[in-house]
Amino acid sequence: MPRTVLALTALFVLGGTAAAQALPTADGASAPAPATGQRASAGLLAAMQRDLGLTPAQAEARLAAEEKATALEPKARRTAGASYGGSWFDAATGRLTVAVTEDASPATVRELRATGVAVRTAEHTARELDAAKARIDKLSAPAGVSSWHVDPKAGTVVVGVVRGERGDTDVRRFLERAREAGPVTVQETAAAPRTFAAGTVGGDPYYTGNVRCSIGFSVHGGFVTAGHCGRAGAGVNGWDRSYIGTFQGSSFPDNDYAWVSVGSGWWTVPVVLGWGTVPDQLVRGSAEAPVGASVCRSGSTTHWHCGRVLAKNETVNYSQGAVHQMTKTSVCAEPGDSGGSFISGDQAQGVTSGGWGNCGSGGETWFQPVNEILGRYGLRLHTA
């Protein structure tokens, strides 16, 4: 495959600056069901073994279990109805766990269990927790507050506070107001989130001025990436500095998504670069993986790394301002990794935004869910 194709379709290639937000799937949008029977490559299994501490056999078993959980989650949500308290993938049991409130009927619980999911009792519904988070989103957060999200397993809104900042007056005041909004748990975070900015360096990126970012997922007519990488109308050059196309739409902060039209001899294919660590990966859909599932990414700086989905619908308090509905992962990233792809199995998940830490000592990274970008701009994911 020509290098121009690889540069254009690096589904996991993370790019230059990253600041970030993950938005929810557009109302009414449906993600394709995950493909079945797709054997994982040896490289992908090796990356999961390295980053998740699994054997190849355990990695294969986990991918199969996550594929089943991903397919079950929408049905479980519909079955639980108003009693739905959230769901997550339990790596220890290999099953999807669904929380329901005590007013769920015995018939509902039986129907859920018949699908193979585990059922747990929740004090609050997902709707109540989402409403509490929405009220917190209206608050102005100080620098010592890193993020907040709904945690269905804990049944609360978890607010992250940077280590050593809990005694700060503004942080204490924010937490007081957050607790007035609903059930809140405070969690210490190792560092404040930051965007993954990078100057012009070599690799397989794209460039907007002196900013380096990585291509996310191919769509028909172009590719999607992070919004902080360029404004609408900005020109884009490829890894060889030849002209690719133009930012057709971009939103940042508040959101962190964009799409770039492609022309001038460049074209798109449904591929994520493996960077020699794993074979280039085909993209077959965009079914959203549950909390707890494994997820991998590829980037122009740190290449291929894997981890777990830690939380969804998280508000991240960057120095540029709060961004909403991000997905948090345990995958590491570094400057230059912004805009690239997150994938679970062969299902596109989102484009990299920001985080903290590095791939030497570890860290956390947020991504903008891809289905929101597709819905926002009316794009169609290029799939195999």
Side-chain angles (χ1 to χ4, degrees), residues 20-300:
Q21 159 172 353
L23 295 177
T25 302
D27 289 345
S30 60
T36 58
Q38 300 295 330
R39 180 175 174 81
S41 69
L44 173 59
L45 297 175
M48 293 179 69
Q49 183 179 7
R50 178 196 65 199
D51 295 334
L52 295 173
L54 305 174
T55 65
Q58 288 172 333
E60 283 207 60
R62 177 157 178 168
L63 286 173
E66 289 173 353
E67 182 180 53
K68 181 178 180 181
T70 297
L72 281 175
E73 189 172 42
K75 180 180 179 180
R77 182 187 293 266
R78 291 192 298 269
T79 300
S83 66
Y84 181 72
S87 58
W88 60 93
F89 177 76
D90 187 339
T93 64
R95 300 167 67 192
L96 182 72
T97 299
V98 177
V100 294
T101 52
E102 290 183 344
D103 58 354
S105 70
T108 296
V109 174
R110 284 196 300 272
E111 187 175 352
L112 284 169
R113 286 178 173 153
T115 67
V117 305
V119 180
R120 298 289 182 271
T121 302
E123 183 176 354
H124 304 284
T125 66
R127 180 173 295 182
E128 289 170 341
L129 294 174
D130 287 343
K133 181 185 174 293
R135 289 189 286 270
I136 298 174
D137 282 343
K138 296 178 181 179
L139 304 179
S140 177
V145 174
S146 60
S147 62
W148 53 96
H149 70 273
V150 169
D151 183 345
K153 193 172 184 178
T156 65
V157 178
V158 176
V159 178
V161 174
V162 178
R163 183 178 299 156
E165 296 293 325
R166 190 161 181 174
D168 178 79
T169 301
D170 290 336
V171 171
R172 290 203 311 269
R173 185 177 299 115
F174 177 88
L175 293 176
E176 289 172 1
R177 297 186 65 189
R179 290 188 177 99
E180 293 172 358
V184 163
T185 300
V186 179
Q187 187 177 77
E188 185 180 84
T189 60
R194 60 187 174 89
T195 59
F196 289 129
T200 300
V201 298
D204 208 2
Y206 72 88
Y207 299 90
T208 304
N210 67 343
V211 172
R212 172 170 63 87
C213 279
S214 298
I215 292 166
F217 295 95
S218 290
V219 296
H220 291 273
F223 63 85
V224 295
T225 187
H228 63 267
C229 292
R231 298 295 183 185
V236 174
N237 296 317
W239 64 272
D240 60 355
R241 297 294 182 161
S242 67
Y243 179 73
I244 294 178
T246 305
F247 275 88
Q248 296 299 311
S250 178
S251 178
F252 175 79
D254 185 31
N255 305 306
D256 195 8
Y257 50 62
W259 86 279
V260 175
S261 61
V262 167
S264 302
W266 292 72
W267 66 95
T268 66
V269 291
V271 172
V272 172
L273 286 179
W275 295 98
T277 301
V278 301
D280 293 346
Q281 300 291 300
L282 291 176
V283 177
R284 301 183 185 277
S286 58
E288 186 179 334
V291 170
S294 63
V295 67
C296 299
R297 69 155 189 81
S298 160
S300 61

Side-chain angles (χ1 to χ4, degrees), residues 298-323:
S298 160
S300 61
T301 298
T302 56
H303 298 178
W304 191 276
H305 287 274
C306 300
R308 296 177 297 112
V309 176
L310 299 178
K312 296 182 182 182
N313 190 24
E314 180 151 32
T315 299
V316 183
N317 191 34
Y318 292 110
S319 61
Q320 295 91 338
V323 292

